[in-house]
Amino acid sequence: MNAVKRFIQHNKYWLNALLLVLPAWFYYQSLHPEFPAPLAEQTLGKYSITPMPFDDKPPYIHDNLYVKDFLLLFNKGDVESVRQGYLNIGPNAMPLAQLMKHELGILHGTKHGQHVHALAKKTLSKDDKVWLTIETWQGEVIVMNWPLPEYLIKESA
């Protein structure tokens, strides 16, 4: 009998117990997700919005672009009055014409929350901000920004 078979035979009850516990642990983790603190609520015009990053990890690659996932809560203002909205992270807000070239960075979801894969760089610096660009159905363009949370900033050496 080789060493692996001997290990399995000797610990088969513990391995079965582990297999029974893992789904319960996964289910508990799914019901109790932990998110970083949301960014400060800002009001501009008829909108009051709170963005919240989904995690404290750096941007990741999605369809060959770096993105960071956010949830935007519209505390005031009707989401249905937004024709299009984009979120990007960088030193400046990207122009609407440039944002429309990508399928990423656009707000999507319901009135309860808008999910977005914010366009970002590979590494974020202290000069970067979170930029929200909203165009209403009347053609009004609203640009809001938030300072980037410290835990997302990683200066290159």
Side-chain angles (χ1 to χ4, degrees), residues 81-86 96 99-100 106-107 133-137 140:
S81 66
V82 175
R83 179 173 181 259
Q84 58 181 346
Y86 293 90
L96 261 178
L99 288 166
M100 288 190 292
I106 191 163
L107 275 63
T133 306
I134 292 175
E135 182 183 24
T136 66
W137 287 103
E140 179 186 12

Side-chain angles (χ1 to χ4, degrees), residues 62-65 67 86 99 102-106 116-117 119:
H62 185 323
D63 292 341
N64 297 323
L65 294 172
V67 296
Y86 293 90
L99 288 166
H102 306 286
E103 291 182 6
L104 299 172
I106 191 163
V116 61
H117 303 284
L119 295 170

Side-chain angles (χ1 to χ4, degrees), residues 41 43-49 73-82 111 134:
E41 178 181 341
T43 302
L44 186 62
K46 58 185 175 184
Y47 300 105
S48 182
I49 301 171
L73 301 172
F74 280 67
N75 305 318
K76 192 175 107 187
D78 188 8
V79 174
E80 293 181 8
S81 66
V82 175
K111 65 180 180 180
I134 292 175

Side-chain angles (χ1 to χ4, degrees), residues 68 70 87-91 118-121 124 128-130 148:
K68 176 78 185 141
F70 278 84
L87 196 72
N88 76 288
I89 302 173
L119 295 170
K121 300 178 299 186
L124 304 173
D128 295 330
K129 293 183 177 181
V130 178
L148 203 57

